[in-house]
Structure formats: C-alpha cells, structure tokens
Amino acid sequence: FGTGMHETTQLCIRALKTYVKPGDQILDVGCGSGILSICGALLGSREILGIEIDEDAVRVAHENVEENHVEDAVKVMQGDLTKGVDFKADVIVANLMADLVMLLSEDARKHLTEDGIFISSGILVEKEEMVSAAIREAGFRIVEIAEDGEWCAIAAVPEV
C-alpha cells in the first residue's frame, strides 16, 4: 500500500483516469501516502482535499505532495470524513477496506456534487455484493465494477 503498485491503488488510478475531468474537485478519503491525491492533481484537478486519520500518514502525504510539486492543488489534513469536514467534491475516492467503504458511503453521498462520482476500492471480490448493496442504500447507482486479482473497485453516481 502507498507505493501505487497495490491492485487497489491501480484500480483507483484507472478509475480516476476514466472519470476525472480537468478542474474537478476531489476528496480523497483515507489518503494514506497521498498517491491518489497527487494523481488527481496530475490529471488536472484544481482542488484536492486528502483526509487521513493517521498522523504519520498525514506527514508522509505532505512530504509526497511537496516532492511532486502539487501543493497548490492538494491539501492534506488529519481528520475523519464523518466529523467536521465541509467540502463538496466532484469525485470522491476512497481506497479503504470494505467495512469502512460501507460505513462511509452515506457521508460520501453528502459530500458529493449531484453529478459527481464515488470511487471506492480496497474491497475483496468476495465482498463486492455486500459493499455494492450498502452503496446503493446510501443513494448511489453503480456504474462500473472493475476487478484486479482478488480486489475490486466500485464507481457509483448519486441517484437523482
């Protein structure tokens, strides 16, 4: 994890390449090393907020953002999506474990623009149906499920 080589990270990067439009605002939930936030900036996003609960990961993400010269677009903060984050995004990316994706789906819906997209990964293929159901319950329509090895990513848009 964190280097960009893990299957879940690759799934998220492919989804970002597919769905991010220049100028989009991105919310990277559980940003870890900041790799997906950096990718979003390189794809033309004008404003990215990386949220991470782990203090050490926040420090590393800050370093990586600076090393990649994307500090004008990427801000990283320690926090939890469910507590005190006031940010609406065109794209939310969450490379977390299945249980966390399910837990955060309702909050993701609240932080997403009406025509936005929610990209989630870190989901074992065997848990895809359970996670998809939770995402649908949170008010989303699944538009794509991609698999790589034993992992999958789910892209969903708000039900209107």
Side-chain angles (χ1 to χ4, degrees), residues 122-139:
I123 304 160
L124 288 166
V125 170
E126 64 197 44
K127 294 188 175 189
E128 178 267 315
E129 285 184 33
M130 178 178 63
V131 176
S132 291
I135 290 172
R136 284 187 194 95
E137 263 185 51

Side-chain angles (χ1 to χ4, degrees), residues 107-126:
D107 287 307
R109 177 66 181 91
K110 295 173 190 172
H111 288 79
L112 195 64
T113 59
E114 283 187 30
D115 59 346
I117 190 150
F118 176 36
I119 299 165
S120 58
S121 192
I123 304 160
L124 288 166
V125 170
E126 64 197 44

Side-chain angles (χ1 to χ4, degrees), residues 42-84:
L42 297 175
L43 290 169
S45 175
R46 70 180 188 275
E47 186 177 2
I48 301 114
L49 176 60
I51 303 286
E52 174 56 53
I53 215 164
D54 182 85
E55 187 177 333
D56 290 330
V58 170
R59 180 184 48 75
V60 169
H62 279 293
E63 291 169 5
N64 288 335
V65 165
E66 288 177 12
E67 282 183 34
N68 285 276
H69 311 289
V70 293
E71 57 271 14
D72 288 346
V74 179
K75 305 294 177 242
V76 178
M77 64 177 271
Q78 186 172 2
D80 182 332
L81 175 64
T82 62
K83 298 180 185 127

Side-chain angles (χ1 to χ4, degrees), residues 21-33:
K21 299 176 294 302
D24 277 352
Q25 292 181 290
I26 298 174
L27 179 57
D28 182 1
V29 181
C31 70
S33 68

